[in-house]
Amino acid sequence: EVVLEDVFVSNENVFRAGTEQNVSPVIMNGLIWFELLATASYIGVVSSMVEKVLQSDKAPNLDKMHDLTADLVQTMNSLEGLTYKFINNQFLDFLLNEVLLVRDSIERKIEQISTQSAKLLGGMNFLTSLDTSYLLLVSQLLTFHPPSKQDCLALFEQYILGGASQQVDETTVLK
């Protein structure tokens, strides 16, 4: 553990999600890319769990396997849709808000998918397979990546009340 004491961080080096006036387009782009890539990484982790279920030697429960696969495809497609909007400079006014809302939804969906996958693989598999227990643990960690849900509530309030734009300058969008 690294603990920093009496360390000064100037205000320009602290990111506070907010309006266009206090967030530069470069920081906004970086945050959006981070959110998209971090979320995609955890979708990849839970995809490994679903794959283990689909390849399991246990008697298949097609109904539950269908639900797992449908939930996984839904999370992938929602993230892919936001990524498409971002890289094509579409509907950028509140894209950060949408990315954070979708990430929050995907966090909950990943938790459900990973838990259901572990159940379908069976209790003995969880106890004897380091791979299964590791994937289950790792799949829960997206929630610990910044920004926290609490930090996003001001942006959410602005989003639902139709506040100021979070416009990202087109010239800085990475392609």
Side-chain angles (χ1 to χ4, degrees), residues 98-114:
E98 290 182 33
V99 167
L100 294 172
L101 286 169
V102 169
R103 175 198 147 170
D104 185 57
S105 174
I106 288 174
E107 280 179 33
R108 289 191 308 275
K109 193 55 76 174
I110 285 173
E111 184 178 335
Q112 293 169 3
I113 294 169
S114 62

Side-chain angles (χ1 to χ4, degrees), residues 94 97 153-164:
F94 289 97
N97 288 299
L153 290 179
L155 277 175
F156 174 68
E157 182 179 35
Q158 183 182 32
Y159 180 71
I160 61 172
L161 296 176

Side-chain angles (χ1 to χ4, degrees), residues 9-10 30 38-39 41 56 70 77 84 87 90 99 109 120 143 149 163:
V9 178
S10 63
T39 304
S41 297
S56 172
N77 286 339
Y84 181 84
I87 64 175
Q90 295 178 344
V99 167
K109 193 55 76 174
L120 288 172
T143 193
K149 186 172 182 178

Side-chain angles (χ1 to χ4, degrees), residues 44-56 72 117 121:
V45 171
V46 80
S47 295
S48 295
M49 289 193 74
V50 172
E51 183 177 14
K52 287 175 71 68
V53 171
L54 297 176
Q55 294 174 350
S56 172
L72 182 61
S117 294
L121 289 168

